Amino acid sequence: MNKIVECVPNFSEGRDKEKLECIVDEVRKQEGVKLLDYSMDKDHNRSVVTFVGEPDMVIEAAFNACKKAAELIDLRTHKGEHPRMGATDVIPLIPIKNISMQECVEYSKKLAKRIGEELNIPVILYEKSASRPEREDLAVIRKGEFEGMFEKLKQEEFKPDFGPDQPHESAGVTAVGARMPLIAFNVNLNTNNLDIAKKIAKAVRGKSGGFKYCKALGFELKERNIVQVSMNMVDYTKTPLYRVFQVIENEANRYGVNVVGSEIVGLVPMNALVDTADYFLKLEDFSYDRVLENKIYGD
């Protein structure tokens, strides 16, 4: 592959494995694309799929997966902990090798145009692809969720960049854009008190005075009878995982609860974990060049 793009679409289905497999099959069968990972979350009722490949092939796979999701997922009956506005909720493109962020922006527009015109699903460009400053933040776009989009899209500041001016009746609205690698990082607490998770999420969330490159919400994990601080780390080089984890642990102790585990949804850059190991192990004169796999595989 001369140019490599990563695509990490999020689908509003985390309970029906057969449906997800049908969506993922659209990626599997695409020539020039490699499926790296996919996962389901029952509580969030959401799935994350990760694949890489040549840009044009990645766009084709993403479009076909979005089309299949629109056929199988009906948001009128969808319930889950995670905010959502579309059957295919968001499709980010991430530059990996021999491709610039601006090139990914252009590819995201190409994909968005096809989804809007061929699938009749309104698309709003976000992050580096955003057509207006207020559209850069996915949380701002998605506020109100599927049910609120019918009124929201009537506002000039949220008029879709492509496709119709009203949500698809069952597939809703999709956000498409180019961005930096994002880490979906969740921390679980040994309490079922959702208010505690929400307070801790507020403490680490950038918009409420926490870490600039951290987005956070508090959720219930009903099957486990615990709560979770669910985060998107939008730039781990500027807000590292270990720093946020420590603050969550300290805040949890304030409320008399403990961290019982953490999880990463999807894939994670090796450097993010190396940085965490370096910090907690207090390694001296350590660098990424001393990681065995880095020496074996290189760039």
Side-chain angles (χ1 to χ4, degrees):
M1 298 180 189
N2 293 320
K3 293 184 177 182
I4 301 178
V5 172
E6 180 185 23
C7 186
V8 192
N10 287 212
F11 300 100
S12 297
E13 177 55 70
R15 297 169 185 171
D16 190 325
K17 186 170 176 58
E18 186 175 341
K19 285 184 179 180
L20 179 61
E21 289 294 340
C22 288
I23 295 168
V24 174
D25 278 344
E26 297 299 321
V27 177
R28 289 191 180 103
K29 68 186 184 185
Q30 178 61 53
E31 183 181 354
V33 165
K34 183 176 182 179
L35 176 67
L36 298 180
D37 184 69
Y38 63 104
S39 60
M40 300 174 65
D41 189 303
K42 292 182 179 180
D43 291 297
H44 289 196
N45 201 4
R46 189 176 183 87
S47 296
V48 178
V49 180
T50 305
F51 54 95
V52 296
E54 293 276 3
D56 286 324
M57 303 303 181
V58 165
I59 295 305
E60 189 67 24
F63 174 81
N64 290 332
C66 182
K67 181 179 180 181
K68 182 61 68 174
E71 296 170 3
L72 298 177
I73 300 171
D74 190 339
L75 286 188
R76 292 171 294 188
T77 58
H78 178 277
K79 300 293 180 184
E81 289 296 317
H82 201 290
R84 81 288 182 267
M85 65 180 182
T88 303
D89 198 55
V90 59
I91 307 177
L93 299 179
I94 302 107
I96 298 297
K97 185 177 181 181
N98 295 334
I99 188 166
S100 68
M101 182 65 76
Q102 187 54 44
E103 286 178 282
C104 281
V105 168
E106 296 308 313
Y107 278 108
S108 72
K109 291 178 181 178
K110 179 180 177 181
L111 174 60
K113 187 173 187 290
R114 282 195 68 188
I115 293 172
E117 293 180 354
E118 298 181 37
L119 303 183
N120 206 36
I121 296 173
V123 180
I124 297 177
L125 296 171
Y126 83 114
E127 279 282 354
K128 303 297 184 182
S129 306
S131 56
R132 307 169 66 125
E134 60 269 25
R135 300 184 186 205
E136 292 180 16
D137 189 343
L138 179 61
V140 173
I141 295 172
R142 195 163 51 199
K143 187 175 182 180
E145 301 192 47
F146 169 68
E147 292 78 8
M149 289 296 134
F150 294 87
E151 288 299 317
K152 188 169 186 174
L153 295 194
K154 295 177 182 178
Q155 303 172 32
E156 181 60 31
E157 59 265 40
F158 292 107
K159 182 179 179 181
D161 292 288
F162 297 98
D165 289 340
Q166 61 181 8
H168 186 284
E169 62 179 6
S170 59
V173 181
T174 296
V176 176
R179 62 161 172 78
M180 286 280 291
L182 174 150
I183 302 173
F185 180 49
N186 302 328
V187 177
N188 300 328
L189 309 175
N190 67 339
T191 178
N192 60 7
N193 188 332
L194 181 58
D195 189 50
I196 291 177
K198 288 183 175 180
K199 287 179 178 177
I200 295 175
K202 184 178 180 181
V204 297
R205 185 169 56 233
K207 279 200 166 183
S208 52
F211 296 100
K212 183 175 180 180
Y213 298 98
C214 174
K215 300 178 181 180
L217 293 171
F219 291 129
E220 289 182 281
L221 301 184
K222 293 180 181 178
E223 286 192 355
R224 297 177 60 182
N225 195 34
I226 61 174
V227 296
Q228 176 184 88
V229 180
S230 180
M231 294 166 287
N232 281 340
M233 309 296 294
V234 299
D235 190 341
Y236 72 90
T237 66
K238 296 175 180 175
T239 299
L241 300 186
Y242 60 80
R243 189 164 296 145
V244 178
F245 180 84
Q246 280 199 312
V247 171
I248 291 174
E249 200 166 42
N250 291 339
E251 289 292 314
N253 290 339
R254 287 182 57 216
Y255 297 106
V257 302
N258 296 312
V259 170
V260 292
S262 65
E263 61 182 4
I264 289 171
V265 181
L267 302 183
V268 58
M270 184 182 292
N271 273 349
L273 300 183
V274 170
D275 289 346
T276 301
D278 184 15
Y279 179 84
F280 281 112
L281 297 178
K282 297 180 173 64
L283 300 175
E284 296 181 3
D285 301 321
F286 184 78
S287 71
Y288 180 62
D289 291 335
R290 294 172 68 182
V291 175
L292 175 62
E293 288 80 2
N294 180 52
K295 287 293 185 182
I296 295 174
Y297 302 116
D299 290 328

